[in-house]
Amino acid sequence: MTQDKKRIVVITGGSRGLGRAVCQAFAGPDTHICFNYHASEAGAQETGELITAAGGSWDSERVDITSLNAVSTWFKRIGTAFNKIDVLVNNAGITRDGLIAMMKESDWDDVLETNLKGAFNCIKPAIRLMMRKRYGRIINVTSVVGAMGNPGQANYAASKAGIIGLTKSVAKEIATRGITVNAVAPGYLETDMTASLQDKAKEAMLAFIPMGRAGTLSEVAAAIKFLASDDAAYITGQVLHVSGGMYT
């Protein structure tokens, strides 16, 4: 398949974790994946090799998503190369956990700048490219804590709640342009970080999940891929919780 016929998928934070799983879910001969990374060029290369192994093509850049100028420059290059963006997945995010009484202002600002403003910075230039084609799929990664809150994560929960409001508002703004905007809200997942938790901590988390187990990165990635598909063409402004019933 020629490059100009491929589906162009942009994924933020693709060098590790959920972002890498999303890249793998979309990877295939009919898709070109553009993803950014913050620090690990080696991690980006590993993701790229997984995409190549699945028959897909890719490119990656170190892009600071907290900078609208940096993101706009990145999207301009994508637009010049492919003349379109079919799918945008806003996945990149950070945590700076701590009780609100002790939280540093910088920890609040860093999380909101990356998680919420970063999504805005990507949506703004992506929409312009999508409106030209009157087609697009935007999927924002929020979190179950954005809906239910979590002690020690006021900054993270606020940023993820903001993602929900952003998703619903933008969906209504651009629905007539053939562009859908939805969010996926993961719950407790099996990751390298959670694997290091002590058994008692894991048991305490699992007690809140009706299904009695953690989710997997591939399960969340599959939900994101569904919302980007033609089967989800009449779904917009929604939040799909992938949490084993943790929040209903």
Side-chain angles (χ1 to χ4, degrees):
M1 178 177 288
T2 59
Q3 199 80 316
D4 62 325
K5 297 290 186 181
K6 289 188 176 184
R7 200 176 196 204
I8 306 303
V9 178
V10 179
I11 300 165
T12 65
S15 65
R16 62 187 178 88
L18 179 58
R20 176 176 289 176
V22 175
C23 287
Q24 288 181 269
F26 279 98
D30 60 346
T31 303
H32 181 86
I33 297 174
C34 307
F35 68 92
N36 87 305
Y37 60 95
H38 177 67
S40 177
E41 186 173 350
Q45 183 62 37
E46 290 175 10
T47 298
E49 290 171 359
L50 291 169
I51 295 170
T52 299
S57 58
W58 62 281
D59 62 74
S60 66
E61 287 192 38
R62 180 182 279 115
V63 180
D64 178 7
I65 64 167
T66 68
S67 167
L68 179 58
N69 183 59
V71 172
S72 296
T73 299
W74 179 37
F75 277 68
K76 185 176 181 180
R77 283 195 286 268
I78 294 172
T80 299
F82 305 106
N83 196 36
K84 67 173 183 173
I85 290 174
D86 295 299
V87 180
L88 167 64
V89 180
N90 282 309
N91 160 76
I94 62 170
T95 58
R96 297 284 188 274
D97 294 351
L99 296 175
I100 192 72
M102 306 294 291
M103 185 175 290
K104 296 186 292 185
E105 182 181 9
S106 60
D107 288 342
W108 176 272
D109 290 345
D110 288 348
V111 170
L112 270 292
E113 285 280 307
T114 300
N115 298 2
L116 184 54
K117 185 170 184 284
F120 162 79
N121 288 345
C122 293
I123 290 171
K124 184 178 175 70
I127 280 176
R128 292 174 178 172
L129 285 166
M130 291 176 174
M131 286 195 299
R132 293 179 191 173
K133 304 293 184 180
R134 300 190 69 82
Y135 176 88
R137 300 283 186 267
I138 298 173
I139 301 95
N140 300 316
V141 178
T142 179
S143 169
V144 67
V145 305
M148 62 186 289
N150 199 37
Q153 288 193 308
N155 50 1
Y156 184 73
S159 71
K160 293 302 187 178
I163 288 288
I164 294 173
L166 175 67
T167 297
K168 291 178 176 293
S169 297
V170 178
K172 290 183 177 181
E173 289 184 15
I174 60 176
T176 60
R177 305 299 184 96
I179 303 168
T180 65
V181 188
N182 293 288
V184 168
Y188 173 50
L189 301 179
E190 293 177 354
T191 65
D192 292 340
M193 183 172 62
T194 57
S196 64
L197 292 174
Q198 294 183 354
D199 289 342
K200 286 187 177 180
K202 290 181 182 179
E203 290 171 5
M205 289 186 179
L206 292 175
F208 288 99
I209 304 172
M211 290 188 72
R213 69 170 178 87
T216 66
L217 295 176
S218 62
E219 286 172 327
V220 179
I224 292 170
K225 187 176 181 182
F226 165 69
L227 289 173
S229 71
D230 290 340
D231 289 336
Y234 200 55
I235 300 172
T236 196
Q238 302 304 306
V239 181
L240 176 56
H241 284 265
V242 186
S243 64
M246 189 175 181
Y247 177 83
T248 58

